[in-house]
Short mmCIF file of all heavy atoms in Angstrom, two decimals:
data_model
loop_
_atom_site.label_atom_id
_atom_site.label_comp_id
_atom_site.label_asym_id
_atom_site.label_seq_id
_atom_site.Cartn_x
_atom_site.Cartn_y
_atom_site.Cartn_z
N MET K 570 9.98 -8.23 -6.58
CA MET K 570 9.47 -7.23 -5.62
C MET K 570 8.05 -7.51 -5.35
O MET K 570 7.34 -7.65 -6.33
CB MET K 570 9.68 -5.91 -6.12
CG MET K 570 11.10 -5.39 -6.48
SD MET K 570 12.25 -5.29 -5.04
CE MET K 570 13.51 -6.20 -5.82
N ASP K 571 7.74 -7.65 -4.16
CA ASP K 571 6.21 -7.99 -3.93
C ASP K 571 5.39 -6.62 -3.80
O ASP K 571 4.17 -6.80 -4.03
CB ASP K 571 6.14 -8.81 -2.63
CG ASP K 571 6.73 -10.11 -2.86
OD1 ASP K 571 6.78 -10.67 -3.98
OD2 ASP K 571 7.36 -10.62 -1.86
N THR K 572 5.92 -5.74 -3.35
CA THR K 572 5.24 -4.37 -3.16
C THR K 572 5.86 -3.14 -3.51
O THR K 572 7.17 -3.17 -3.79
CB THR K 572 4.82 -4.27 -1.64
OG1 THR K 572 6.11 -4.06 -0.86
CG2 THR K 572 4.19 -5.63 -1.06
N SER K 573 5.23 -2.04 -3.53
CA SER K 573 5.86 -0.82 -3.88
C SER K 573 6.76 -0.50 -2.67
O SER K 573 7.77 0.32 -2.91
CB SER K 573 4.88 0.27 -4.08
OG SER K 573 4.05 0.49 -2.92
N THR K 574 6.51 -1.00 -1.51
CA THR K 574 7.47 -0.72 -0.37
C THR K 574 8.81 -1.31 -0.68
O THR K 574 9.84 -0.66 -0.41
CB THR K 574 6.89 -1.31 0.91
OG1 THR K 574 5.60 -0.72 1.14
CG2 THR K 574 7.80 -0.99 2.07
N ASP K 575 8.87 -2.52 -1.24
CA ASP K 575 10.08 -3.15 -1.63
C ASP K 575 10.81 -2.46 -2.78
O ASP K 575 12.07 -2.20 -2.56
CB ASP K 575 9.88 -4.56 -2.23
CG ASP K 575 9.34 -5.56 -1.18
OD1 ASP K 575 9.55 -5.36 -0.02
OD2 ASP K 575 8.70 -6.55 -1.63
N LEU K 576 10.05 -1.81 -3.69
CA LEU K 576 10.75 -0.87 -4.63
C LEU K 576 11.20 0.43 -3.96
O LEU K 576 12.26 0.89 -4.39
CB LEU K 576 9.74 -0.61 -5.77
CG LEU K 576 9.36 -1.76 -6.56
CD1 LEU K 576 8.16 -1.43 -7.56
CD2 LEU K 576 10.46 -2.20 -7.39
N ASP K 577 10.41 0.83 -3.11
CA ASP K 577 10.91 2.11 -2.30
C ASP K 577 12.25 1.84 -1.51
O ASP K 577 13.16 2.67 -1.57
CB ASP K 577 9.92 2.60 -1.27
CG ASP K 577 8.65 3.27 -1.92
OD1 ASP K 577 8.68 3.62 -3.16
OD2 ASP K 577 7.67 3.39 -1.24
N GLN K 578 12.34 0.66 -0.89
CA GLN K 578 13.54 0.27 -0.23
C GLN K 578 14.70 0.12 -1.26
O GLN K 578 15.80 0.56 -0.99
CB GLN K 578 13.34 -0.96 0.53
CG GLN K 578 14.58 -1.42 1.36
CD GLN K 578 14.99 -0.44 2.50
OE1 GLN K 578 14.10 0.08 3.14
NE2 GLN K 578 16.21 0.14 2.37
N LEU K 579 14.52 -0.46 -2.38
CA LEU K 579 15.50 -0.70 -3.39
C LEU K 579 15.87 0.66 -3.88
O LEU K 579 17.10 0.88 -4.09
CB LEU K 579 15.03 -1.65 -4.54
CG LEU K 579 16.03 -1.72 -5.71
CD1 LEU K 579 17.41 -2.32 -5.17
CD2 LEU K 579 15.44 -2.62 -6.69
N ALA K 580 14.96 1.55 -4.15
CA ALA K 580 15.37 2.94 -4.48
C ALA K 580 16.24 3.67 -3.53
O ALA K 580 17.29 4.29 -3.93
CB ALA K 580 14.08 3.74 -4.88
N SER K 581 15.99 3.46 -2.34
CA SER K 581 16.80 3.99 -1.18
C SER K 581 18.16 3.43 -1.27
O SER K 581 19.17 4.08 -1.04
CB SER K 581 16.08 3.84 0.04
OG SER K 581 16.80 4.32 1.19
N ASP K 582 18.18 2.07 -1.32
CA ASP K 582 19.44 1.36 -1.37
C ASP K 582 20.29 1.80 -2.50
O ASP K 582 21.51 1.94 -2.48
CB ASP K 582 19.23 -0.16 -1.41
CG ASP K 582 18.68 -0.70 -0.13
OD1 ASP K 582 18.64 0.01 0.92
OD2 ASP K 582 18.20 -1.73 -0.15
N LEU K 583 19.64 1.98 -3.72
CA LEU K 583 20.40 2.46 -4.91
C LEU K 583 21.07 3.86 -4.61
O LEU K 583 22.16 4.08 -5.00
CB LEU K 583 19.47 2.46 -6.16
CG LEU K 583 19.14 1.11 -6.63
CD1 LEU K 583 17.93 1.26 -7.73
CD2 LEU K 583 20.40 0.49 -7.35
N ALA K 584 20.31 4.66 -4.07
CA ALA K 584 20.69 6.08 -3.76
C ALA K 584 21.83 6.00 -2.72
O ALA K 584 22.84 6.75 -2.86
CB ALA K 584 19.52 6.92 -3.30
N THR K 585 21.72 5.18 -1.75
CA THR K 585 22.74 5.09 -0.71
C THR K 585 24.03 4.36 -1.11
O THR K 585 25.03 4.84 -0.91
CB THR K 585 22.06 4.49 0.59
OG1 THR K 585 21.00 5.12 1.02
CG2 THR K 585 23.15 4.49 1.67
N HIS K 586 23.87 3.12 -1.70
CA HIS K 586 24.96 2.28 -1.86
C HIS K 586 25.32 2.19 -3.34
O HIS K 586 26.33 1.44 -3.71
CB HIS K 586 24.58 0.88 -1.34
CG HIS K 586 24.29 0.94 0.29
ND1 HIS K 586 25.24 1.36 1.08
CD2 HIS K 586 23.09 0.73 0.76
CE1 HIS K 586 24.57 1.34 2.32
NE2 HIS K 586 23.35 0.99 2.16
N GLY K 587 24.57 2.54 -4.27
CA GLY K 587 24.80 2.47 -5.80
C GLY K 587 24.35 1.15 -6.37
O GLY K 587 23.88 0.23 -5.70
N VAL K 588 24.53 1.16 -7.68
CA VAL K 588 23.96 0.03 -8.48
C VAL K 588 24.81 -1.14 -8.23
O VAL K 588 24.22 -2.30 -8.05
CB VAL K 588 24.10 0.44 -9.99
CG1 VAL K 588 23.96 -0.79 -10.83
CG2 VAL K 588 23.06 1.47 -10.32
N ALA K 589 26.08 -1.18 -8.09
CA ALA K 589 27.02 -2.39 -7.94
C ALA K 589 26.65 -3.15 -6.62
O ALA K 589 26.73 -4.36 -6.68
CB ALA K 589 28.43 -1.87 -7.91
N ALA K 590 26.26 -2.39 -5.61
CA ALA K 590 25.90 -3.17 -4.32
C ALA K 590 24.49 -3.69 -4.32
O ALA K 590 24.13 -4.43 -3.45
CB ALA K 590 25.97 -2.07 -3.24
N ASN K 591 23.72 -3.57 -5.52
CA ASN K 591 22.40 -3.98 -5.58
C ASN K 591 22.15 -4.94 -6.74
O ASN K 591 21.05 -4.95 -7.40
CB ASN K 591 21.47 -2.81 -5.54
CG ASN K 591 21.33 -2.21 -4.19
OD1 ASN K 591 20.82 -2.59 -3.23
ND2 ASN K 591 22.12 -1.01 -4.09
N GLU K 592 23.21 -5.50 -7.44
CA GLU K 592 22.99 -6.27 -8.58
C GLU K 592 22.02 -7.25 -8.51
O GLU K 592 21.31 -7.58 -9.41
CB GLU K 592 24.45 -6.87 -8.94
CG GLU K 592 25.39 -5.78 -9.52
CD GLU K 592 24.88 -5.12 -10.82
OE1 GLU K 592 24.14 -5.64 -11.52
OE2 GLU K 592 25.64 -4.13 -11.13
N HIS K 593 22.02 -8.07 -7.38
CA HIS K 593 21.17 -9.26 -7.19
C HIS K 593 19.70 -8.69 -7.25
O HIS K 593 18.78 -9.35 -7.98
CB HIS K 593 21.45 -9.95 -5.89
CG HIS K 593 20.44 -11.09 -5.63
ND1 HIS K 593 20.59 -12.29 -6.40
CD2 HIS K 593 19.42 -11.23 -4.71
CE1 HIS K 593 19.64 -13.12 -5.90
NE2 HIS K 593 18.84 -12.42 -4.93
N ALA K 594 19.40 -7.64 -6.55
CA ALA K 594 18.01 -7.01 -6.55
C ALA K 594 17.63 -6.57 -7.86
O ALA K 594 16.48 -6.70 -8.27
CB ALA K 594 17.91 -6.01 -5.47
N LEU K 595 18.61 -5.99 -8.59
CA LEU K 595 18.23 -5.41 -9.93
C LEU K 595 18.02 -6.56 -10.92
O LEU K 595 17.18 -6.47 -11.76
CB LEU K 595 19.33 -4.47 -10.46
CG LEU K 595 19.51 -3.24 -9.60
CD1 LEU K 595 20.71 -2.48 -10.20
CD2 LEU K 595 18.27 -2.34 -9.71
N ALA K 596 18.77 -7.71 -10.82
CA ALA K 596 18.52 -8.85 -11.67
C ALA K 596 17.08 -9.46 -11.43
O ALA K 596 16.45 -9.87 -12.37
CB ALA K 596 19.60 -9.80 -11.52
N ARG K 597 16.80 -9.50 -10.08
CA ARG K 597 15.41 -10.01 -9.77
C ARG K 597 14.36 -9.08 -10.33
O ARG K 597 13.40 -9.59 -10.98
CB ARG K 597 15.31 -10.08 -8.25
CG ARG K 597 14.11 -10.65 -7.79
CD ARG K 597 14.06 -10.88 -6.29
NE ARG K 597 12.75 -10.84 -5.75
CZ ARG K 597 12.32 -10.45 -4.61
NH1 ARG K 597 13.33 -9.93 -3.71
NH2 ARG K 597 11.11 -10.53 -4.25
N LEU K 598 14.55 -7.80 -10.19
CA LEU K 598 13.60 -6.85 -10.70
C LEU K 598 13.45 -6.99 -12.19
O LEU K 598 12.34 -6.89 -12.77
CB LEU K 598 14.00 -5.35 -10.33
CG LEU K 598 12.95 -4.37 -10.73
CD1 LEU K 598 11.59 -4.55 -10.12
CD2 LEU K 598 13.47 -3.04 -10.30
N ALA K 599 14.65 -7.06 -12.90
CA ALA K 599 14.62 -7.26 -14.35
C ALA K 599 13.80 -8.44 -14.72
O ALA K 599 13.00 -8.48 -15.64
CB ALA K 599 16.08 -7.39 -14.95
N ARG K 600 13.90 -9.55 -14.08
CA ARG K 600 13.12 -10.75 -14.29
C ARG K 600 11.68 -10.62 -14.13
O ARG K 600 10.79 -10.92 -14.90
CB ARG K 600 13.62 -11.98 -13.46
CG ARG K 600 14.99 -12.58 -13.89
CD ARG K 600 15.23 -13.96 -13.19
NE ARG K 600 15.28 -13.82 -11.69
CZ ARG K 600 16.30 -13.41 -11.03
NH1 ARG K 600 17.47 -13.13 -11.53
NH2 ARG K 600 16.24 -13.33 -9.67
N GLU K 601 11.30 -9.93 -13.00
CA GLU K 601 9.94 -9.60 -12.76
C GLU K 601 9.38 -8.66 -13.81
O GLU K 601 8.22 -8.87 -14.14
CB GLU K 601 9.83 -9.06 -11.41
CG GLU K 601 9.98 -10.18 -10.27
CD GLU K 601 9.88 -9.71 -8.87
OE1 GLU K 601 9.25 -8.62 -8.63
OE2 GLU K 601 10.35 -10.35 -8.03
N GLY K 602 10.11 -7.72 -14.09
CA GLY K 602 9.63 -6.78 -15.28
C GLY K 602 9.38 -7.39 -16.56
O GLY K 602 8.41 -7.20 -17.16
N ARG K 603 10.29 -8.30 -16.84
CA ARG K 603 10.13 -9.09 -18.14
C ARG K 603 8.81 -9.89 -18.04
O ARG K 603 8.09 -9.88 -19.06
CB ARG K 603 11.35 -10.02 -18.37
CG ARG K 603 11.32 -10.68 -19.78
CD ARG K 603 12.51 -11.45 -20.00
NE ARG K 603 13.73 -10.60 -20.06
CZ ARG K 603 14.69 -10.50 -19.24
NH1 ARG K 603 14.76 -11.32 -18.21
NH2 ARG K 603 15.84 -9.69 -19.43
N ALA K 604 8.75 -10.61 -17.00
CA ALA K 604 7.53 -11.50 -16.76
C ALA K 604 6.19 -10.65 -16.85
O ALA K 604 5.11 -11.16 -17.24
CB ALA K 604 7.57 -12.25 -15.55
N ALA K 605 6.32 -9.35 -16.39
CA ALA K 605 5.03 -8.53 -16.31
C ALA K 605 4.86 -7.76 -17.57
O ALA K 605 3.93 -6.92 -17.65
CB ALA K 605 5.19 -7.61 -15.10
N GLY K 606 5.72 -7.77 -18.54
CA GLY K 606 5.54 -7.13 -19.78
C GLY K 606 6.06 -5.75 -19.77
O GLY K 606 5.66 -4.91 -20.64
N ALA K 607 7.04 -5.37 -18.95
CA ALA K 607 7.66 -4.07 -19.06
C ALA K 607 8.43 -4.02 -20.27
O ALA K 607 8.74 -5.05 -21.02
CB ALA K 607 8.55 -3.87 -17.74
N SER K 608 8.86 -2.79 -20.58
CA SER K 608 9.64 -2.56 -21.90
C SER K 608 10.82 -3.42 -21.87
O SER K 608 11.56 -3.49 -20.98
CB SER K 608 10.17 -1.08 -21.77
OG SER K 608 11.23 -0.76 -22.68
N SER K 609 10.96 -4.13 -23.05
CA SER K 609 12.09 -4.97 -23.12
C SER K 609 13.47 -4.23 -23.20
O SER K 609 14.39 -4.74 -22.61
CB SER K 609 11.93 -5.82 -24.57
OG SER K 609 11.92 -4.94 -25.52
N VAL K 610 13.45 -3.13 -23.70
CA VAL K 610 14.64 -2.20 -23.62
C VAL K 610 15.01 -1.83 -22.26
O VAL K 610 16.17 -2.01 -21.76
CB VAL K 610 14.56 -0.91 -24.62
CG1 VAL K 610 15.71 -0.07 -24.32
CG2 VAL K 610 14.32 -1.40 -25.96
N ALA K 611 13.98 -1.43 -21.42
CA ALA K 611 14.28 -1.02 -20.04
C ALA K 611 14.75 -2.21 -19.22
O ALA K 611 15.65 -2.14 -18.44
CB ALA K 611 13.08 -0.45 -19.45
N VAL K 612 14.18 -3.36 -19.41
CA VAL K 612 14.60 -4.57 -18.72
C VAL K 612 15.96 -4.95 -19.14
O VAL K 612 16.81 -5.44 -18.29
CB VAL K 612 13.52 -5.82 -19.13
CG1 VAL K 612 14.05 -7.04 -18.53
CG2 VAL K 612 12.23 -5.48 -18.43
N ALA K 613 16.27 -4.91 -20.37
CA ALA K 613 17.61 -5.24 -20.84
C ALA K 613 18.82 -4.23 -20.30
O ALA K 613 19.81 -4.84 -19.77
CB ALA K 613 17.74 -5.26 -22.38
N VAL K 614 18.50 -3.02 -20.32
CA VAL K 614 19.38 -2.07 -19.69
C VAL K 614 19.59 -2.28 -18.19
O VAL K 614 20.59 -2.33 -17.61
CB VAL K 614 18.95 -0.63 -20.01
CG1 VAL K 614 19.89 0.35 -19.18
CG2 VAL K 614 19.06 -0.36 -21.54
N LEU K 615 18.40 -2.53 -17.45
CA LEU K 615 18.40 -2.77 -16.11
C LEU K 615 19.33 -3.88 -15.67
O LEU K 615 20.12 -3.83 -14.78
CB LEU K 615 17.03 -3.04 -15.58
CG LEU K 615 16.82 -3.13 -14.02
CD1 LEU K 615 17.32 -2.01 -13.23
CD2 LEU K 615 15.32 -3.55 -13.81
N GLY K 616 19.18 -5.05 -16.44
CA GLY K 616 19.98 -6.24 -16.12
C GLY K 616 21.34 -6.33 -16.64
O GLY K 616 22.04 -7.24 -16.34
N ASP K 617 21.76 -5.35 -17.48
CA ASP K 617 23.04 -5.30 -18.12
C ASP K 617 24.23 -4.57 -17.32
O ASP K 617 24.15 -3.37 -17.24
CB ASP K 617 22.97 -4.78 -19.43
CG ASP K 617 24.33 -5.05 -20.36
OD1 ASP K 617 25.36 -5.45 -19.83
OD2 ASP K 617 24.14 -4.87 -21.48
N ARG K 618 25.05 -5.33 -16.68
CA ARG K 618 26.10 -4.76 -15.83
C ARG K 618 27.11 -3.81 -16.70
O ARG K 618 27.70 -2.95 -16.01
CB ARG K 618 26.90 -5.75 -15.10
CG ARG K 618 26.10 -6.53 -14.04
CD ARG K 618 26.93 -7.60 -13.42
NE ARG K 618 26.14 -8.41 -12.49
CZ ARG K 618 26.61 -8.81 -11.42
NH1 ARG K 618 27.81 -8.70 -11.06
NH2 ARG K 618 25.74 -9.55 -10.58
N ARG K 619 27.08 -4.00 -17.89
CA ARG K 619 27.95 -3.08 -18.80
C ARG K 619 27.45 -1.79 -18.99
O ARG K 619 28.14 -0.90 -19.48
CB ARG K 619 28.23 -3.77 -20.14
CG ARG K 619 29.02 -5.17 -19.84
CD ARG K 619 29.11 -5.97 -21.21
NE ARG K 619 27.62 -6.40 -21.46
CZ ARG K 619 27.22 -7.00 -22.62
NH1 ARG K 619 28.25 -7.40 -23.30
NH2 ARG K 619 25.94 -7.34 -22.77
N GLU K 620 26.10 -1.52 -18.88
CA GLU K 620 25.45 -0.31 -19.07
C GLU K 620 25.82 0.72 -18.01
O GLU K 620 26.16 0.28 -16.86
CB GLU K 620 23.87 -0.38 -19.06
CG GLU K 620 23.31 -1.24 -20.26
CD GLU K 620 23.40 -0.45 -21.57
OE1 GLU K 620 23.72 0.72 -21.50
OE2 GLU K 620 23.27 -1.07 -22.56
N PRO K 621 25.98 1.94 -18.34
CA PRO K 621 26.33 3.05 -17.38
C PRO K 621 25.32 3.15 -16.21
O PRO K 621 24.15 2.91 -16.50
CB PRO K 621 26.54 4.35 -18.17
CG PRO K 621 25.98 4.08 -19.49
CD PRO K 621 25.83 2.54 -19.68
N TRP K 622 25.67 3.42 -14.98
CA TRP K 622 24.72 3.46 -13.93
C TRP K 622 23.60 4.42 -14.15
O TRP K 622 22.43 4.05 -13.79
CB TRP K 622 25.45 3.63 -12.52
CG TRP K 622 26.12 5.04 -12.30
CD1 TRP K 622 27.42 5.38 -12.55
CD2 TRP K 622 25.34 6.18 -11.82
NE1 TRP K 622 27.53 6.64 -12.30
CE2 TRP K 622 26.33 7.15 -11.77
CE3 TRP K 622 24.10 6.39 -11.52
CZ2 TRP K 622 25.98 8.39 -11.24
CZ3 TRP K 622 23.69 7.68 -10.97
CH2 TRP K 622 24.68 8.64 -10.92
N PRO K 623 23.89 5.53 -14.70
CA PRO K 623 22.67 6.48 -14.96
C PRO K 623 21.51 5.85 -15.85
O PRO K 623 20.44 5.98 -15.60
CB PRO K 623 23.24 7.72 -15.59
CG PRO K 623 24.62 7.67 -15.20
CD PRO K 623 25.08 6.26 -15.15
N ALA K 624 21.93 5.12 -16.87
CA ALA K 624 21.05 4.43 -17.67
C ALA K 624 20.28 3.30 -16.91
O ALA K 624 19.12 3.14 -17.09
CB ALA K 624 21.74 3.79 -18.89
N ARG K 625 20.99 2.68 -15.98
CA ARG K 625 20.35 1.62 -15.27
C ARG K 625 19.37 2.23 -14.24
O ARG K 625 18.28 1.59 -13.94
CB ARG K 625 21.39 0.72 -14.64
CG ARG K 625 22.23 0.02 -15.64
CD ARG K 625 23.31 -0.93 -15.08
NE ARG K 625 22.58 -2.09 -14.55
CZ ARG K 625 23.13 -2.94 -13.75
NH1 ARG K 625 24.35 -2.74 -13.29
NH2 ARG K 625 22.43 -3.91 -13.23
N ILE K 626 19.73 3.30 -13.68
CA ILE K 626 18.72 3.96 -12.73
C ILE K 626 17.47 4.44 -13.53
O ILE K 626 16.39 4.29 -13.00
CB ILE K 626 19.39 5.13 -12.07
CG1 ILE K 626 20.59 4.75 -11.16
CG2 ILE K 626 18.42 6.04 -11.30
CD1 ILE K 626 20.20 3.89 -9.95
N ARG K 627 17.67 4.89 -14.61
CA ARG K 627 16.50 5.39 -15.50
C ARG K 627 15.64 4.07 -15.72
O ARG K 627 14.51 4.13 -15.73
CB ARG K 627 16.94 6.03 -16.65
CG ARG K 627 15.84 6.41 -17.69
CD ARG K 627 14.85 7.52 -17.14
NE ARG K 627 13.96 7.76 -18.10
CZ ARG K 627 12.63 8.09 -17.79
NH1 ARG K 627 12.28 7.99 -16.48
NH2 ARG K 627 11.85 8.39 -18.71
N ALA K 628 16.26 3.00 -16.18
CA ALA K 628 15.58 1.68 -16.46
C ALA K 628 14.84 1.24 -15.19
O ALA K 628 13.79 0.75 -15.28
CB ALA K 628 16.65 0.74 -17.01
N PHE K 629 15.55 1.42 -14.10
CA PHE K 629 14.81 0.93 -12.87
C PHE K 629 13.50 1.72 -12.65
O PHE K 629 12.53 1.18 -12.33
CB PHE K 629 15.76 1.26 -11.65
CG PHE K 629 15.13 1.25 -10.27
CD1 PHE K 629 14.69 0.09 -9.76
CD2 PHE K 629 14.70 2.48 -9.70
CE1 PHE K 629 14.08 0.16 -8.42
CE2 PHE K 629 14.00 2.42 -8.42
CZ PHE K 629 13.66 1.22 -7.83
N THR K 630 13.56 3.11 -12.95
CA THR K 630 12.38 3.83 -12.75
C THR K 630 11.24 3.45 -13.64
O THR K 630 10.10 3.33 -13.34
CB THR K 630 12.52 5.41 -12.92
OG1 THR K 630 13.05 5.65 -14.19
CG2 THR K 630 13.55 5.87 -11.85
N LEU K 631 11.62 3.06 -14.96
CA LEU K 631 10.59 2.61 -15.96
C LEU K 631 10.04 1.31 -15.55
O LEU K 631 8.78 1.12 -15.59
CB LEU K 631 11.23 2.66 -17.26
CG LEU K 631 11.71 3.96 -17.93
CD1 LEU K 631 12.47 3.72 -19.12
CD2 LEU K 631 10.57 4.81 -18.12
N VAL K 632 10.91 0.34 -15.13
CA VAL K 632 10.37 -0.95 -14.84
C VAL K 632 9.53 -0.84 -13.53
O VAL K 632 8.45 -1.54 -13.45
CB VAL K 632 11.59 -2.12 -14.59
CG1 VAL K 632 11.08 -3.34 -14.06
CG2 VAL K 632 12.27 -2.14 -15.89
N ALA K 633 10.04 -0.17 -12.48
CA ALA K 633 9.20 0.09 -11.19
C ALA K 633 7.95 0.66 -11.52
O ALA K 633 6.86 0.24 -10.98
CB ALA K 633 10.05 0.85 -10.17
N ARG K 634 7.79 1.67 -12.44
CA ARG K 634 6.56 2.31 -12.72
C ARG K 634 5.57 1.27 -13.35
O ARG K 634 4.45 1.20 -13.06
CB ARG K 634 6.72 3.51 -13.67
CG ARG K 634 5.60 4.19 -13.95
CD ARG K 634 5.67 5.37 -14.74
NE ARG K 634 6.96 5.89 -15.02
CZ ARG K 634 7.40 6.57 -16.02
NH1 ARG K 634 6.58 6.83 -17.05
NH2 ARG K 634 8.65 7.00 -16.06
N HIS K 635 6.16 0.45 -14.26
CA HIS K 635 5.35 -0.56 -14.91
C HIS K 635 4.77 -1.53 -13.92
O HIS K 635 3.67 -1.81 -13.90
CB HIS K 635 6.09 -1.29 -15.89
CG HIS K 635 5.34 -2.28 -16.60
ND1 HIS K 635 4.57 -2.10 -17.82
CD2 HIS K 635 5.21 -3.73 -16.40
CE1 HIS K 635 3.99 -3.23 -18.14
NE2 HIS K 635 4.31 -4.16 -17.39
N LEU K 636 5.56 -1.93 -13.03
CA LEU K 636 5.21 -2.89 -12.00
C LEU K 636 4.07 -2.31 -11.02
O LEU K 636 3.33 -3.08 -10.34
CB LEU K 636 6.28 -3.55 -11.25
CG LEU K 636 7.23 -4.32 -12.11
CD1 LEU K 636 8.54 -4.77 -11.26
CD2 LEU K 636 6.53 -5.62 -12.60
N THR K 637 4.17 -1.03 -10.75
CA THR K 637 3.26 -0.43 -9.76
C THR K 637 2.06 0.27 -10.23
O THR K 637 1.17 0.67 -9.56
CB THR K 637 4.10 0.52 -8.88
OG1 THR K 637 4.65 1.54 -9.65
CG2 THR K 637 5.10 -0.19 -8.06
N ARG K 638 1.95 0.35 -11.64
CA ARG K 638 0.72 1.02 -12.10
C ARG K 638 -0.47 0.24 -12.01
O ARG K 638 -0.31 -1.04 -12.06
CB ARG K 638 1.05 1.43 -13.64
CG ARG K 638 1.00 0.22 -14.53
CD ARG K 638 1.27 0.78 -15.97
NE ARG K 638 1.22 -0.49 -16.88
CZ ARG K 638 1.80 -0.42 -18.08
NH1 ARG K 638 2.14 0.61 -18.51
NH2 ARG K 638 1.55 -1.61 -18.67
N PRO K 639 -1.64 0.89 -11.77
CA PRO K 639 -2.80 0.07 -11.81
C PRO K 639 -3.16 -0.68 -13.16
O PRO K 639 -2.66 -0.17 -14.16
CB PRO K 639 -3.92 1.09 -11.44
CG PRO K 639 -3.27 2.40 -11.36
CD PRO K 639 -1.81 2.24 -11.72
N PRO K 640 -3.74 -1.81 -13.11
CA PRO K 640 -4.06 -2.49 -14.35
C PRO K 640 -4.94 -1.58 -15.11
O PRO K 640 -5.80 -0.78 -14.72
CB PRO K 640 -4.92 -3.68 -13.84
CG PRO K 640 -4.60 -3.75 -12.36
CD PRO K 640 -4.31 -2.52 -11.82
N GLN K 641 -4.73 -1.68 -16.49
CA GLN K 641 -5.51 -0.92 -17.42
C GLN K 641 -6.87 -1.57 -17.56
O GLN K 641 -6.95 -2.87 -17.76
CB GLN K 641 -4.71 -0.97 -18.83
CG GLN K 641 -3.48 -0.32 -18.78
CD GLN K 641 -3.65 1.24 -18.66
OE1 GLN K 641 -4.65 1.75 -18.91
NE2 GLN K 641 -2.55 1.94 -18.19
N ALA K 642 -7.93 -0.82 -17.52
CA ALA K 642 -9.22 -1.27 -17.74
C ALA K 642 -9.49 -1.50 -19.22
O ALA K 642 -8.96 -0.75 -19.98
CB ALA K 642 -10.30 -0.26 -17.22
N THR K 643 -10.09 -2.56 -19.59
CA THR K 643 -10.37 -2.78 -21.01
C THR K 643 -11.66 -1.92 -21.33
O THR K 643 -12.63 -1.91 -20.56
CB THR K 643 -10.64 -4.27 -21.34
OG1 THR K 643 -11.60 -4.70 -20.51
CG2 THR K 643 -9.27 -5.06 -21.09
N SER K 644 -11.68 -1.36 -22.48
CA SER K 644 -12.91 -0.68 -22.87
C SER K 644 -13.93 -1.51 -23.39
O SER K 644 -13.62 -2.34 -24.18
CB SER K 644 -12.34 0.41 -23.98
OG SER K 644 -13.53 1.05 -24.40
N THR K 645 -15.10 -1.28 -23.09
CA THR K 645 -16.21 -2.06 -23.63
C THR K 645 -17.08 -1.12 -24.51
O THR K 645 -18.14 -1.52 -24.87
CB THR K 645 -17.14 -2.62 -22.51
OG1 THR K 645 -17.52 -1.61 -21.67
CG2 THR K 645 -16.27 -3.61 -21.67
N PHE K 646 -16.52 0.08 -24.82
CA PHE K 646 -17.31 0.96 -25.66
C PHE K 646 -17.52 0.42 -27.10
O PHE K 646 -16.52 -0.06 -27.68
CB PHE K 646 -16.53 2.31 -25.75
CG PHE K 646 -17.20 3.39 -26.67
CD1 PHE K 646 -18.28 4.07 -26.29
CD2 PHE K 646 -16.65 3.51 -27.94
CE1 PHE K 646 -18.81 4.94 -27.17
CE2 PHE K 646 -17.19 4.47 -28.79
CZ PHE K 646 -18.44 5.13 -28.43
N THR K 647 -18.64 0.52 -27.51
CA THR K 647 -18.97 0.06 -28.96
C THR K 647 -19.74 1.21 -29.58
O THR K 647 -20.67 1.85 -29.16
CB THR K 647 -19.95 -1.09 -28.87
OG1 THR K 647 -19.39 -2.14 -28.12
CG2 THR K 647 -20.26 -1.61 -30.28
N ALA K 648 -19.09 1.70 -30.72
CA ALA K 648 -19.77 2.67 -31.48
C ALA K 648 -21.15 2.15 -32.06
O ALA K 648 -21.12 1.05 -32.63
CB ALA K 648 -18.86 3.18 -32.64
N ALA K 649 -22.07 3.09 -32.09
CA ALA K 649 -23.34 2.65 -32.67
C ALA K 649 -23.45 2.89 -34.18
O ALA K 649 -22.73 3.48 -34.86
CB ALA K 649 -24.43 3.60 -32.04
#
C-alpha cells in the first residue's frame, strides 16, 4: 500500500466484500508490514487464510496502524 488512502480503500473493501474477496491485497499488505517491521504475530495472522476473519481484521488494523504512524524521533537526551 502506498498511502493511507489505499488502506482506507482496502478497509472499505473488507467491510463491503469480506476477507475472502481481498486475499491478494491482504497478502501484499502482510509483505509490506513484515518489511516495515510490523508485529510478526499480526503479519502472520493477516496472511494466514486459516485464521478466522475477525482475527484477520484485527491484524489488518494493527499492521495498517504500524504502516501509517509517523516515524519515531530518536531521543538525543543525555543525562548530566
Side-chain angles (χ1 to χ4, degrees):
M570 304 291 134
D571 294 327
T572 67
S573 61
T574 303
D575 293 335
L576 291 170
D577 289 342
Q578 182 61 53
L579 178 53
S581 177
D582 291 345
L583 287 168
T585 304
H586 305 291
V588 170
N591 290 284
E592 290 293 349
H593 180 73
L595 292 176
R597 181 175 158 209
L598 182 62
R600 286 190 303 273
E601 290 181 17
R603 184 176 296 111
S608 162
S609 60
V610 173
V612 169
V614 170
L615 181 63
D617 188 347
R618 294 176 183 217
R619 297 168 296 179
E620 292 288 345
W622 70 265
R625 294 183 74 198
I626 295 296
R627 176 69 176 139
F629 165 77
T630 64
L631 294 172
V632 173
R634 185 178 343 152
H635 180 85
L636 292 173
T637 58
R638 72 179 181 198
Q641 296 290 339
T643 56
S644 176
T645 57
F646 175 76
T647 305

